[in-house]
Amino acid sequence: EIRRLHERVVRAGGVEARRLAFPTLHRDVCKQAVWLFNVRKERPLGHAMFQFLLAEAQAAGDAEAVALQRKNVACGA
């Protein structure tokens, strides 16, 4: 559901909306993905979430988040 809502925001508001929405999306989804990956051992799901966050970080132009998500994606590879 979060991904679908995020896509609606991006379609409606374009690149600027993506940049504005990304920090909140990143914070919340990353915390959930880390919990799934490390605590629940749901690594495929956590990894998929990290991949999504990496793509969104790149699209939003957030270099710090790109670096973090590259590390997270590499952990699940």
Side-chain angles (χ1 to χ4, degrees), residues 1 6-7 9-10 13-14 18 29 31 36 41 44-45 49 58 60 62-65 69 72 77:
E1 184 65 24
H6 180 68
E7 289 169 357
V9 167
V10 171
R18 173 176 264 136
V29 174
K31 283 197 297 191
L36 285 166
K41 305 302 182 200
L45 182 55
M49 292 168 77
Q58 291 168 328
D62 187 326
E64 188 175 317
Q69 294 312 321
N72 287 342

Side-chain angles (χ1 to χ4, degrees), residues 37 46-55 66-77:
F37 195 90
H47 187 255
M49 292 168 77
F50 293 140
Q51 289 176 313
F52 165 69
L53 287 173
L54 175 57
V66 167
L68 174 63
Q69 294 312 321
R70 282 187 177 146
K71 289 178 189 176
N72 287 342
V73 167
C75 288

Side-chain angles (χ1 to χ4, degrees), residues 27-43:
R27 182 193 67 227
D28 294 346
V29 174
C30 191
K31 283 197 297 191
Q32 186 71 20
V34 167
W35 177 76
L36 285 166
F37 195 90
N38 292 327
V39 176
R40 296 291 307 226
K41 305 302 182 200
E42 295 285 346
R43 293 201 162 121

